[in-house]
Amino acid sequence: MSSATPFVHLHCHTEYSLLDGCNKIPELVSRAKELGQPAIAMTDHGVMCGAIQFYKECKKQGVKPLIGCELYIAQRGMEDKEANKDNRPYHFTLLAQDRVGYKNLLAMVSDAHMRGFYYKPRVDREMLASHSQGIVALSGCLRGEVNDALLSDDFNLAKKRLGELHDIYKDNFYVELMDHGIPEQKKTNVELIKLA
């Protein structure tokens, strides 16, 4: 890769994202290095089981490790567990910016499994707000709550959700953009949502 600004994957799953990721950590890091990427993120679904292996492998191969997690966010509270209401959580990608952020990620993932588990290990807005220090937040994939509102053509709800997440993470909140190759004629008329 020979560009002035190198590309870095900030949302990447490994084999620890059960039924959703197949990247084996050594090969993933090796491929990032081969492509000239100075860093790569590990953001497995709801777990951080591979964090130590990922960190060590990145250090061994000279690639900067970015440790994160794609958390599941309960639509209501993380302890709400009612059938057909709480079994479809949103996705939300978080990266540790420093040691404090890493500890906050570990605390959220642990609580998600211990207190919030309902089909998936879930956290809620209260948990996000109380563990936001040292975290860089990405709006998430198509199953993120912002994109969920956009896919329903509810631009006001999308703007509200963006604002709420921005209030928690301030300047450490970024909108994820993904090109899924949808033909032009089928793209939703999505305008840029400006945060007030």
Side-chain angles (χ1 to χ4, degrees), residues 68-79:
C69 186
E70 186 171 359
L71 294 178
Y72 295 106
I73 310 299
Q75 291 194 27
R76 301 186 308 156
M78 66 188 278
E79 294 188 38

Side-chain angles (χ1 to χ4, degrees), residues 44-74:
D44 286 318
H45 275 294
V47 298
M48 294 177 64
C49 301
I52 301 299
Q53 179 190 0
F54 176 76
Y55 178 85
K56 287 180 177 179
E57 190 64 37
C58 283
K59 289 298 187 183
K60 177 177 152 188
Q61 294 196 41
V63 175
K64 182 177 181 180
L66 303 173
I67 297 173
C69 186
E70 186 171 359
L71 294 178
Y72 295 106
I73 310 299

Side-chain angles (χ1 to χ4, degrees), residues 105-123:
L105 275 178
L106 289 175
M108 286 189 282
V109 169
S110 294
D111 251 11
H113 283 270
M114 299 300 291
R115 293 190 308 123
F117 199 96
Y118 187 66
Y119 289 86
K120 307 273 185 194
R122 306 165 310 141
V123 298

Side-chain angles (χ1 to χ4, degrees), residues 48 69 71 94-112 123 127-136 169:
M48 294 177 64
C69 186
L71 294 178
L94 301 177
L95 299 167
Q97 186 176 27
D98 53 26
R99 186 179 297 266
V100 171
Y102 179 71
K103 288 181 178 180
N104 277 327
L105 275 178
L106 289 175
M108 286 189 282
V109 169
S110 294
D111 251 11
V123 298
M127 175 71 66
L128 294 175
S130 66
H131 291 80
S132 63
Q133 188 178 355
I135 299 286
V136 173
Y169 295 100

Side-chain angles (χ1 to χ4, degrees), residues 14 22 24 31 37 46 57 75 83 102 109 126 144 152 186:
T14 73
C22 63
K24 297 201 181 316
R31 183 67 174 148
Q37 298 174 5
E57 190 64 37
Q75 291 194 27
Y102 179 71
V109 169
E126 184 180 317
S152 300
K186 291 190 176 186

